[in-house]
Amino acid sequence: MDGAVPSEILPAAEKVFGDRLTQARHYAELLVTDGVVRGLIGPREAPRIWERHLLNCAVLADLIPSGASVVDVGSGAGLPGMVLAVARPDLSVTLVEPLARRTAFLSEAVTALGLERTSVVRARAEECVGKLPLADVVTARAVAPLDRLAGWCLPLTAVGGRLLALKGASAAAEIAEHAEVLGRLGAGMPSVRLCGDGLLAEPTTVVEIVREREVARPRKAGGRRGR
């Protein structure tokens, strides 16, 4: 299996990645070979790696300003952080991931793809607070419910910066459920954005949260795990 783009979505891939499409293909090949062997991508996901994963993540770039610093929390196999680094070489991207086998893959992929402005940090998100520079944008995909996710990600976000959380159909319901908690974390009113509408068969649903102010960090609960 290789990283070739299926013909039916090639026009979308060309539009999203432009002259970076060759690197995107290389990354796709790494995912469907080493990524599957190492257990980072399920075998059933490999045939739909472009539609379900790469394009789904790449359209997030439309919400990120030129030259921004990006921290990707719970990167896993690099979704969406690595995809953004490939699609947008103007971004400075930090991939945060606690598991060694995943960070090993990410580091190897960064080198193989020549992503000079991308770095890999093996840590949970809460361990990075105060150690990483505050980012213009923090991204996360399928990590946790919105209240916990914001608790991990907003402290890594500069005031005025944004958390972009890739979500599914539950986005609006999560916002309604967790609005009060988000406010206590210093967030403004979240909004739901659809990325890739008119380009992808199923647009990517993103919850956008602006960090409006700093708040005192709560004490850590004993034994609580994060990302």
Side-chain angles (χ1 to χ4, degrees):
M1 184 175 294
D2 58 26
V5 187
S7 58
E8 65 271 17
I9 60 172
L10 181 58
E14 289 175 335
K15 183 171 184 179
V16 170
F17 287 102
D19 61 4
R20 307 282 288 181
L21 185 57
T22 296
Q23 281 180 297
R25 287 194 186 104
H26 190 179
Y27 177 47
E29 183 177 0
L30 292 174
L31 288 174
V32 300
T33 54
D34 285 358
V36 172
V37 170
R38 298 186 188 192
L40 306 183
I41 295 292
R44 293 183 180 180
E45 294 302 307
R48 50 187 183 178
I49 198 71
W50 279 96
E51 183 175 7
R52 187 176 177 87
H53 298 288
L54 297 186
L55 292 181
N56 176 267
C57 290
V59 293
L60 185 64
D62 291 343
L63 301 179
I64 301 177
S66 177
S69 58
V70 178
V71 170
D72 185 42
V73 169
S75 286
L79 306 167
M82 187 78 79
V83 179
L84 294 172
V86 169
R88 292 279 303 276
D90 60 297
L91 303 178
S92 297
V93 179
T94 301
L95 308 173
V96 176
E97 168 56 48
L99 295 185
R101 64 186 174 89
R102 294 175 179 172
T103 54
F105 172 83
L106 293 172
S107 295
E108 292 167 18
V110 166
T111 299
L113 298 172
L115 301 176
E116 297 180 354
R117 302 188 67 182
T118 302
S119 59
V120 179
V121 174
R122 184 186 172 193
R124 296 188 179 95
E126 64 267 33
E127 296 169 342
C128 296
V129 177
K131 297 179 181 178
L132 291 179
L134 295 177
D136 300 315
V137 176
V138 176
T139 58
R141 183 186 193 226
V143 170
L146 199 54
D147 56 341
R148 280 192 288 156
L149 184 63
W152 298 330
C153 294
L154 287 178
L156 299 173
T157 311
V159 173
R162 292 172 293 161
L163 164 61
L164 300 177
L166 280 74
K167 290 287 185 178
S170 66
E174 284 198 56
I175 288 174
E177 181 180 357
H178 301 302
E180 184 177 344
V181 173
L182 296 176
R184 292 200 300 267
L185 292 170
M189 179 58 67
S191 59
V192 177
R193 306 285 294 271
L194 294 180
C195 298
D197 194 16
L199 182 66
L200 305 183
E202 184 176 342
T204 302
T205 302
V206 180
V207 175
E208 181 178 40
I209 303 174
V210 176
R211 187 186 189 193
E212 291 189 341
R213 64 191 186 282
E214 293 185 7
V215 295
R217 293 183 62 201
R219 285 185 172 185
K220 290 182 180 179
R224 184 172 180 178
R225 293 176 60 84
R227 290 299 298 260

